[in-house]
Amino acid sequence: MAWLIAHGIVCTMEDPPRVIEDGAVAVEGDRIAMVGPTAEVRARYPEAEVLDARGQLVLPGSICAHTHFYGAFARGMPLHDEPPGNFPHILRRLWWRLDRALDEKAVRLSALVCLIDAIRHGTTTLIDHHASPSCIDGSLDILAEAVAEAGLRACLCYEVTDRNGPEGARAGIRENARFIRQVQRWRATGDPRGDLLAASFGLHASFTVGPETMAQAVAEAQALGVGFHIHVAEDAADEGHSLAIYGVRTVERLAREGVLGPQTLCAHCVHIDTREIDLLARTRSKVSHQPRSNMNNAVGVAPVGAMRAAGVTVGLGNDGFSNNMFAEMKTAYLVHKVHARDPRAMGAEEVLAMAYRENARIAALFWPHPLGVIAPGAYADLILLDYRPYTPLTAENLPWHLIFGIDGSHVTTTICGGRVLMKDRQLLTLDEERIAAEARAHVPIVWERFRAIAEAERG
């Protein structure tokens, strides 16, 4: 049975985008059936139930190309150590202690609080990269259950690494393979979980994955017909390690080992050179850019312009920052200008292309129907925003409204797969108050484990 969103300003985010004043979207099942002026759509569906947008913007749900649900409990956490002075210190003193402190309950709650944040800010598709060394087996099922409860769309993987010993690496490989097969079964049997959940094969980074583990992971992924989700040259230390140990730069090593390819997503790529950019382009590997995280970690600014000029698909993620992808768009727009000392760098049109068209290409690795666009046949992942433009809003100037006006705080209604998850800012699938209370009760347990791990490591 079809239903309609009517009387909105529909911004289709097609290439090129259209802006339809008093527009409507017809939804049938989990997909969009028709887009056009309200009068035309209502004439086609005269009996359909109507959600009146009341002049609000209607946009596709945002896509986050790289995130970490597991990092949510770091907010406000004491480090019990000297402040990290570089990126390897940040990993060792923060993230590699926090992920070891997580138990099953923490994995579930950290995912749920991130999913609430995503619904509130209109992010309907998230590509997550998980780590919980003390709770590997079944951890992706815990995340999948949280995602299904929220009603959002997510691609999941487990971070394979040698930093927790051979058994930890083998367990990570098993968890990826098990969950990938499970998703494949869901889709083969028509299980509704397969409509929202997808899987990739997670690797942490070149500098924490040795040759034996890499070869095992590549063989398993090739047998399953999937690509990888891996951090690449986020910091110069990754490149230095690869040159010292393997005699080649990071992207060259990954190409040689069989990691790169059209189904592989490379996060960051901050410190790559022109040869590596060419390798990414020739292998049709995808890249996600996380400017807020890169600034926070002081690792540098990725050569996004050079990658896109070479034909590399570069999308936009958040690396575990808030799921307000409009904030990520604004940061991308600004940081490249100050880095290049050129106000022409990273135009608003480029940011819009990354956030919608390029992210849609990345999402197409994992879902069979289009995302990031309002068009017939695309998934009905839609958001309503109470943004009231006080200058004309047209298809030509839409990118600048996105950068200088529109924000996740404007989102009033979030829809994923034709299901309303939030209406008029009221969450319909998750109990935010209860989940926040559960998280606050459990965080002290996780933080105490973190403190004990820090003390043990200092001896």
Side-chain angles (χ1 to χ4, degrees):
M1 184 67 179
W3 62 278
L4 312 181
I5 299 170
H7 304 299
I9 302 173
V10 178
C11 305
T12 66
M13 297 306 176
E14 296 166 292
D15 186 18
R18 291 184 295 149
V19 173
I20 306 171
E21 295 281 349
D22 194 11
V25 181
V27 176
E28 290 186 8
D30 67 348
R31 269 169 274 169
I32 295 168
M34 183 179 178
V35 182
T38 292
E40 292 181 13
V41 177
R42 291 202 69 172
R44 178 80 65 86
Y45 297 92
E47 305 299 323
E49 181 180 349
V50 175
L51 191 165
D52 191 344
R54 304 184 306 276
Q56 295 181 89
L57 291 191
V58 183
L59 295 178
S62 295
I63 299 168
C64 176
H66 174 74
T67 193
H68 296 287
F69 295 153
Y70 79 82
F73 285 2
R75 184 177 294 181
M77 182 179 67
L79 292 183
H80 305 286
D81 213 329
E82 292 295 319
N86 56 44
F87 185 63
H89 288 170
I90 292 170
L91 291 177
R92 294 189 182 98
R93 298 178 189 176
L94 173 55
W95 300 117
W96 291 354
R97 290 172 178 171
L98 176 61
D99 65 16
R100 286 170 59 199
L102 299 176
D103 56 14
E104 291 183 5
K105 188 171 184 178
V107 170
R108 180 180 69 88
L109 288 169
S110 60
L112 286 170
V113 298
C114 290
L115 295 165
I116 288 170
D117 182 63
I119 293 171
R120 287 214 171 276
H121 291 100
T123 299
T124 52
T125 297
L126 302 111
I127 301 175
D128 186 67
H129 196 279
H130 180 64
S132 53
S134 303
C135 170
I136 298 175
D137 295 346
S139 58
L140 297 183
D141 281 346
I142 297 170
L143 297 183
E145 289 168 5
V147 172
E149 183 181 350
L152 288 170
R153 197 178 302 279
C155 178
L156 308 177
C157 72
Y158 188 86
E159 171 193 291
V160 172
T161 177
D162 284 319
R163 66 182 172 87
N164 301 300
E167 180 49 40
R170 287 191 292 269
I173 291 172
R174 287 196 306 269
E175 180 64 5
N176 277 302
R178 181 197 64 76
F179 188 72
I180 290 164
R181 291 190 184 98
Q182 182 165 276
V183 170
Q184 290 173 341
R185 284 194 300 272
W186 287 343
R187 293 189 174 181
T189 60
D191 189 302
R193 288 172 290 186
D195 296 329
L196 294 178
L197 287 154
S200 186
F201 206 111
L203 295 172
H204 174 248
S206 173
F207 68 94
T208 67
V209 182
E212 183 177 344
T213 298
M214 188 80 79
Q216 292 172 0
V218 169
E220 193 73 56
Q222 288 177 344
L224 292 165
V226 300
F228 293 94
H229 186 178
I230 179 172
H231 302 90
V232 177
E234 183 174 0
D235 184 73
D238 193 3
E239 294 285 15
H241 179 273
S242 188
L243 285 166
I245 303 300
Y246 306 110
V248 293
R249 292 177 67 84
T250 301
V251 175
E252 294 175 286
R253 184 207 170 196
L254 297 178
R256 186 174 69 186
E257 299 281 3
V259 173
L260 299 186
Q263 292 179 280
T264 287
L265 175 58
C266 301
H268 300 295
C269 294
V270 175
H271 292 275
I272 59 176
D273 64 12
T274 54
R275 176 175 167 76
E276 291 175 290
I277 292 173
D278 181 61
L279 271 172
L280 291 169
R282 284 196 284 115
T283 58
R284 293 186 292 142
S285 302
K286 312 300 187 290
V287 173
S288 64
H289 177 42
Q290 290 71 230
R292 286 187 293 175
S293 172
N294 295 159
M295 292 170 67
N296 182 57
N297 290 329
V299 295
V301 179
V304 171
M307 285 191 280
R308 296 191 72 237
V312 179
T313 294
V314 183
L316 204 61
N318 65 24
D319 206 30
F321 265 66
S322 74
N323 286 305
N324 182 351
M325 291 305 295
F326 298 98
E328 205 73 46
M329 294 181 215
K330 292 167 172 55
T331 304
Y333 177 81
L334 295 170
V335 69
H336 290 273
K337 289 173 166 51
V338 71
H339 179 67
R341 297 186 178 182
D342 184 347
R344 297 167 296 181
M346 191 56 70
E349 308 99 318
E350 291 181 81
V351 176
L352 183 144
M354 290 166 61
Y356 291 95
R357 187 171 68 243
E358 306 291 87
N359 268 359
R361 289 176 181 167
I362 292 169
L365 301 178
F366 310 114
W367 286 277
H369 303 293
L371 287 160
V373 65
I374 302 179
Y379 284 113
D381 293 10
L382 303 159
I383 58 176
L384 275 59
L385 305 94
D386 64 353
Y387 174 68
R388 307 293 174 173
Y390 55 81
T391 60
L393 192 161
T394 66
E396 291 71 29
N397 70 18
L398 175 59
W400 288 270
H401 278 275
L402 275 169
I403 298 301
F404 294 107
I406 298 167
D407 186 67
S409 61
H410 290 118
V411 175
T412 65
T413 298
T414 299
I415 300 158
C416 185
R419 181 185 180 192
V420 180
L421 311 181
M422 179 176 74
K423 184 177 181 182
D424 296 330
R425 295 193 169 93
Q426 297 299 308
L427 294 174
L428 303 180
T429 58
L430 296 176
D431 185 336
E432 182 173 13
E433 186 174 345
R434 177 184 60 79
I435 291 167
E438 284 187 40
R440 285 195 302 273
H442 195 63
V443 161
I445 298 170
V446 175
W447 284 9
E448 176 56 27
R449 288 199 198 105
F450 180 96
R451 184 199 61 76
I453 291 167
E455 288 191 359
E457 288 182 351
R458 288 196 301 270

